[in-house]
Amino acid sequence: MYGPIDENVVLHLDARTGQVKSNWGAKMFYMPHGLTIDHAGNYWLTDIAMHQVFMFKPTDLTHPALTVGEMFQSGSGPTQLCRPADVAVMKNGDFFVADG
């Protein structure tokens, strides 16, 4: 049966040792694809199965502060995405989604 990934999908590794410093995201994503960390330290993740982009504040990694797209509804309408791959974030907060 299909469902969200049971394990943590985001891992913060120590660059010197390769040891896992922290991890999160279990049971939140179906097919995570892209990860961007903006200038404020927010995490932007794309999920190509859910057709959504999520932004998480570094102080709350359990609830997205922003969700773009309709869950499991691909499309080209103003509220829909189709397999979003990546996000670019400008310093003023504007962001661009590589979609389709």
Side-chain angles (χ1 to χ4, degrees):
M1 184 168 126
Y2 297 106
I5 299 170
D6 289 332
E7 294 84 20
N8 287 315
V9 297
V10 181
L11 291 91
H12 177 188
L13 304 176
D14 184 297
R16 289 183 301 106
T17 65
Q19 296 292 321
V20 177
K21 295 174 85 173
S22 64
N23 53 64
W24 59 279
K27 300 183 192 241
M28 296 173 68
F29 304 101
Y30 286 74
M31 197 176 291
H33 186 76
L35 168 66
T36 299
I37 302 172
D38 68 20
H39 70 284
N42 298 312
Y43 298 90
W44 296 76
L45 280 91
T46 63
D47 190 305
I48 60 175
M50 296 171 74
H51 304 289
Q52 291 182 297
V53 172
F54 305 93
M55 187 271 282
F56 294 86
K57 298 282 186 184
T59 55
D60 184 1
L61 300 176
T62 57
H63 300 92
L66 175 68
T67 301
V68 180
E70 297 178 32
M71 188 175 193
F72 300 119
Q73 300 295 315
S74 70
S76 60
T79 62
Q80 296 175 310
L81 297 171
C82 182
R83 300 183 66 160
D86 205 359
V87 178
V89 184
M90 297 177 62
K91 285 192 176 185
N92 70 359
D94 289 350
F95 62 95
F96 301 87
V97 178
D99 186 38

